[in-house]
Amino acid sequence: VYSGKLGISSGINAEYGGRSSTSGLTVTVFGATGRMGRYLVNSLGQTGTQLIIPFRCDPLRAQYLRVSSDLGQQHQIYTPDFNDEAHLENLVKYSDVVVNLTGSHKRKLHFDMHASNVSLTHRIARACKNVEVPCFIHMSSLSADPDSQCLFYRTKALSEQVVLHELPNSAIIVRAADTFHAFDIMTHYLARINARKRLIQKGRTLIYKEGKATYKSPVYGPDVTRAITNIIMMNDQDRQRLYQFAGPKTYSLNELMESITHLTQRSYKPVHRLIPSEILSRVVKSEDFIRYQMTSDTPTAGLPGLEDVGVVPTHFEDKAMLWLRSYRVFWQTWDPIDGRKSDIYNNTLGTGEFI
């Protein structure tokens, strides 16, 4: 049984004090089993917020989210068909806030990117409109652009349009730069294209224009979800309708690759044409290449960011070691960052002596 649209006027004693407290809010989170969803569920669970989590995957893949909330504060609902708008309305009608984290960076078996990023968002927004949900928060991208070369960014721009069409007064758009965290796509992609090269190639890595034409402002994933939590906890009159969350530092793609390879302790040399032209033509048309190597982050001046909602941005170098360590050669896994390093390329015996 859901408590439903509690708020301040419900008469329930709402206290903010940890997972066993009661915030007085009910929040439905779509996309909770995704890469960012686990962080948002954990952040909301820490405030004692009652959560409704629809999912269409194997129930075992959502089970780990239960420990984020106190007993009875999280309701997981298996929803195999998100085309049923009546069922979507039933999922959101008890909620004070609905958060949409759904979306895909590539085509799936049964859904293309337009279906995942636009059509599903449109149905959720329409359901929220029909039951008059007070606040709808939609996760978009900092580089969303209807004219972008990247299909992901084009569909994200369309998703903003359908949300604002259905909910012009209650929608909040959150535009985030590419996030870095243990389950992200960007840093794993960039580390992988360098680490999979054979040692004889001495770190030569295919990078668009040698990384000098693309600029990124990666933001820490848990910072974004913490900021969304703070927005949810605000009074409605204090909320803005558009936020952009970017990291504290802007890197050229080459600088970002140097930071990553410093942590993975692998050689790195950017090469623009590493492979034959006929293969290169297929590589540069891939969605990951266009998104992470050819498209620069373009923040809009004047929009509220992380600091405006009480979150101090985390630097990339402070956290990335936690997951990038796995891309090291096995005998270097526990070498210190600033200390001695095992010699990969010049030690023919493979004994891992320090240099």
Side-chain angles (χ1 to χ4, degrees):
V1 178
Y2 311 132
S3 58
K5 297 188 179 179
L6 300 178
I8 303 301
S9 61
S10 64
I12 294 179
N13 183 23
E15 299 178 356
Y16 299 90
R19 298 185 197 275
S20 296
S21 63
T22 302
S23 71
L25 295 172
T26 301
V27 177
T28 297
V29 181
F30 288 92
T33 58
R35 298 176 189 276
M36 293 287 288
R38 66 186 69 208
Y39 298 114
L40 181 60
V41 169
N42 182 56
S43 183
L44 289 170
Q46 290 174 344
T47 65
T49 297
Q50 188 167 138
L51 296 172
I52 301 172
I53 300 178
F55 66 94
R56 61 186 175 194
C57 59
D58 189 312
L60 291 177
R61 295 184 62 184
Q63 196 171 38
Y64 69 92
L65 295 172
R66 291 190 180 277
V67 297
S68 301
S69 303
D70 200 8
L71 185 63
Q73 287 290 86
Q74 185 179 126
H75 308 278
Q76 296 188 2
I77 302 173
Y78 179 58
T79 309
D81 184 13
F82 278 99
N83 295 317
D84 186 349
E85 295 195 17
H87 186 56
L88 287 177
E89 292 176 9
N90 189 51
L91 290 172
V92 301
K93 67 181 180 181
Y94 299 104
S95 299
D96 301 291
V97 180
V98 173
V99 182
N100 179 37
L101 300 179
T102 61
S104 175
H105 69 288
K106 62 182 179 181
R107 180 184 179 90
K108 301 294 187 179
L109 178 62
H110 300 292
F111 306 97
D112 60 18
M113 291 182 66
H114 189 276
S116 298
N117 296 342
V118 183
S119 301
L120 177 56
T121 297
H122 195 182
R123 287 194 295 272
I124 295 172
R126 190 161 52 230
C128 293
K129 175 184 177 181
N130 293 340
V131 299
E132 300 180 351
V133 172
C135 179
F136 179 83
I137 299 178
H138 174 61
M139 184 74 160
S140 185
S141 173
L142 188 64
S143 300
D145 182 357
D147 299 320
S148 174
Q149 298 181 65
C150 178
L151 180 58
F152 175 80
Y153 292 139
R154 294 202 301 271
T155 55
K156 277 298 180 181
L158 290 174
S159 71
E160 290 185 14
Q161 295 175 11
V162 299
V163 166
L164 294 175
H165 173 74
E166 295 291 347
L167 300 165
N169 299 318
S170 60
I172 296 175
I173 305 295
V174 173
R175 293 176 180 166
D178 290 319
T179 57
F180 62 91
H181 51 87
F183 305 96
D184 71 10
I185 304 172
M186 180 186 68
T187 61
H188 286 284
Y189 164 75
L190 294 176
R192 187 169 60 249
I193 63 174
N194 172 259
R196 66 169 46 164
K197 302 302 178 185
R198 296 179 180 177
L199 299 185
I200 195 173
Q201 293 181 338
K202 303 294 184 182
R204 291 194 293 270
T205 306
L206 176 64
I207 296 294
Y208 177 68
K209 293 186 177 180
E210 298 184 357
K212 299 175 182 178
T214 307
Y215 294 86
K216 295 289 187 181
S217 302
V219 61
Y220 189 43
D223 285 349
V224 174
T225 56
R226 205 172 301 118
I228 293 175
T229 300
N230 292 348
I231 294 170
I232 291 172
M233 297 301 162
M234 290 179 181
N235 293 322
D236 188 62
Q237 60 269 24
D238 297 328
R239 296 170 179 156
Q240 304 296 318
R241 295 302 163 190
L242 179 61
Y243 293 89
Q244 67 174 11
F245 297 148
K249 181 179 177 180
T250 299
Y251 302 81
S252 68
L253 182 59
N254 184 54
E255 292 172 341
L256 186 57
M257 283 297 297
E258 287 176 347
S259 295
I260 290 173
T261 53
H262 175 67
L263 297 174
T264 60
Q265 297 187 352
R266 287 179 178 267
S267 295
Y268 164 65
K269 180 182 179 181
V271 179
H272 184 50
R273 293 181 64 87
L274 179 66
I275 52 183
S277 57
E278 63 274 9
I279 301 177
L280 179 64
S281 63
R282 292 196 296 269
V283 171
V284 299
K285 292 178 182 178
S286 68
E287 191 68 19
D288 285 344
F289 189 92
I290 295 173
R291 178 178 177 183
Y292 297 119
Q293 295 207 32
M294 297 177 63
T295 307
S296 295
D297 290 337
T298 54
T300 303
L303 293 180
L306 291 173
E307 297 90 343
D308 297 293
V309 293
V311 176
V312 178
T314 302
H315 287 268
F316 175 77
E317 292 80 5
D318 294 339
K319 294 291 184 179
M321 169 59 81
L322 297 175
W323 61 90
L324 291 181
R325 187 190 295 274
S326 62
Y327 289 94
R328 292 180 173 184
V329 176
F330 70 93
W331 62 73
Q332 286 187 327
T333 301
W334 300 108
D335 286 356
I337 300 177
D338 300 323
R340 299 175 299 168
K341 294 190 295 185
S342 302
D343 186 355
I344 313 174
Y345 299 102
N346 300 318
N347 185 350
T348 57
L349 298 178
T351 52
E353 290 93 344
F354 286 107
I355 57 174

